Amino acid sequence: MSYIAFILIVVISYLLGSLNFGVILSNRVKNDDIRNHGSGNAGTTNMLRNYGKKIAFLTIAGDMLKVFVSIGISFAIIKFLPMAIGDFTAVTLKGIDSNIYIKSLSGFFCVLGHIFPCYFGFKGGKGVATAGGMVFAIDWRIALILLAVFVLVLLVSKYVSLGSLVMALLYPVFIYVFHRSPALTGIAAVFTIVVVVAHRSNIKKLITHTESKISFKSKK
């Protein structure tokens, strides 16, 4: 990959990821900042708890859509600045499908932008919806399995954070099962680490039994 293409993908993906729809929608629709309420997190769960189902749905849709746009732009960049099998790709693409590599690279920096948005003081969400969009782009089979696992954990425990963590932990496992690539599994493990670190406060609350359970009652 040319270094120019790599830099453009990283920067554009991060900037698109920084479009945090929890903050945007709470500002535009509610004339408020979701980060001043509840958990202080600019994510779908906090939007649901404070503003109701409709705006929570718009939040998750926007946060997933931006990763698809990011990936699409990344492939357009590669089209105009083609990959060269040279210094960079000879190492990084060994044993990895190049399309999945581009999706993972773009998705990773989009998720980082969501968690640390440059437009909103580097205080965003926890990246689950955005990472979920990336998984759908990489392998819809894995995405559907993880979604089913999330729903099951949520129904049993009522903890969104626990469902998110279980999905994150299983992601590299299913990547290896479906693709048998140690290198790709390693990349997936990086996403797991990022999501787990972003949920560190939730993990503490789960351990101490102080984590809030989800309620699907709409709030006006």
Side-chain angles (χ1 to χ4, degrees), residues 156-171:
V156 172
S157 70
K158 299 297 189 298
Y159 291 124
V160 173
S161 58
L162 182 59
S164 300
L165 287 166
V166 172
M167 280 198 304
L169 292 170
L170 289 177
Y171 175 51

Side-chain angles (χ1 to χ4, degrees), residues 2 4 11 22 78 98-99 108 126 143-144 170 189 202 206:
S2 71
I4 294 176
V11 172
I78 294 301
S98 60
N99 287 338
F108 177 73
K126 297 184 178 177
L144 289 179
L170 289 177
N202 301 92
L206 285 168

Side-chain angles (χ1 to χ4, degrees), residues 80-154:
F80 289 101
L81 294 171
M83 282 186 176
I85 303 301
D87 295 337
F88 191 75
T89 50
V91 176
T92 58
L93 295 183
K94 185 177 181 181
I96 304 177
D97 180 276
S98 60
N99 287 338
I100 294 180
Y101 174 78
I102 295 302
K103 292 174 182 178
S104 298
L105 177 65
S106 180
F108 177 73
F109 284 96
C110 199
V111 169
L112 282 186
H114 180 85
I115 298 173
F116 306 107
C118 60
Y119 310 125
F120 306 113
F122 300 97
K123 183 182 178 184
K126 297 184 178 177
V128 175
T130 306
M134 180 206 67
V135 177
F136 266 106
I138 289 175
D139 193 321
W140 61 269
R141 300 167 300 175
I142 295 175
L144 289 179
I145 292 171
L146 293 179
L147 180 60
V149 169
F150 172 79
V151 171
L152 179 61
V153 173
L154 180 61

Side-chain angles (χ1 to χ4, degrees), residues 176-191:
Y176 183 77
V177 169
F178 280 91
H179 295 277
R180 297 294 177 181
S181 168
L184 190 57
T185 303
I187 293 174
V190 173
F191 280 92

